[in-house]
Amino acid sequence: LAQGPPPVVWHSLSMLRSLQTRGVRKFGVRYLGGAARGYNVYDVQSNVKLAKGFFTGPPALSYSVFKAQCEAVRLFVFAGTVSILTLSLVISPPRSSYWLTWRPDRVLMSFVRSFGSKSSPFLQGKLPYDPNVPLLYTELSTTRSCYRPAKAEAEEEEGA
């Protein structure tokens, strides 16, 4: 009668399987310290308590408590700064044309208007005037300013 493999072989096969399984797990996790530690950022009550303790309580006795207090204060400082800047923009908005076009309450309308426009951004016909390109080029390349017609210069002299 043929018997199966001896018990030593079964034992070594089971050990090999367990080593392979453990080996995959061992090399699949690198233990770099990426686990979450410390206080929960979303727990506002504990962050308020830590921030109050930073200013009013006794000094922190360990670095981890001090770090948690600084992180709690940082959350409230960030929220306060963003709130103050937003309120400042609402109360006294800038007067630039960029802000008037792209401010938050007009962005949607500007976007819709840009696609709803019937006019083309390309020229449809000949210009109503004839630009003197060689004169514009020489003026721009020598003086680094645009050519101004004599009519505009005469108006300036009269105003002065």
Side-chain angles (χ1 to χ4, degrees):
L1 293 163
Q3 291 182 348
V8 175
V9 173
W10 284 112
H11 180 67
S12 16
L13 284 175
S14 66
M15 282 182 54
L16 183 62
R17 280 193 202 109
S18 68
L19 285 176
Q20 286 175 344
T21 307
R22 285 186 201 148
V24 170
R25 288 187 190 143
K26 185 176 183 181
F27 291 115
V29 179
R30 293 180 54 199
Y31 303 110
L32 295 175
R37 296 185 323 189
Y39 297 93
N40 187 0
V41 176
Y42 301 110
D43 186 10
V44 178
Q45 293 297 333
S46 65
N47 283 320
V48 168
K49 187 186 293 185
L50 284 169
K52 281 182 183 177
F54 182 79
F55 294 109
T56 60
L61 297 178
S62 69
Y63 174 74
S64 60
V65 174
F66 176 71
K67 181 181 173 191
Q69 287 176 338
C70 289
E71 287 175 354
V73 169
R74 181 179 65 185
L75 286 174
F76 295 110
V77 167
F78 176 76
T81 303
V82 168
S83 301
I84 288 172
L85 292 175
T86 304
L87 185 65
S88 173
L89 276 176
V90 168
I91 292 173
S92 61
R95 293 188 179 97
S96 68
S97 62
Y98 181 82
W99 178 260
L100 291 176
T101 304
W102 295 107
R103 67 184 185 193
D105 61 340
R106 300 242 177 118
V107 169
L108 183 62
M109 287 307 298
S110 297
F111 184 73
V112 169
R113 213 177 299 125
S114 67
F115 286 106
S117 176
K118 302 286 185 207
S119 64
S120 172
F122 304 107
L123 287 176
Q124 299 298 322
K126 190 174 178 173
L127 289 175
Y129 57 89
D130 186 28
N132 189 351
V133 176
L135 180 62
L136 285 172
Y137 173 75
T138 56
E139 191 70 25
L140 190 61
S141 62
T142 56
T143 64
R144 301 277 181 204
S145 64
C146 289
Y147 170 74
R148 294 173 35 176
K151 186 177 185 182
E153 290 175 2
E155 288 174 359
E156 268 187 23
E157 290 174 5
E158 289 174 7

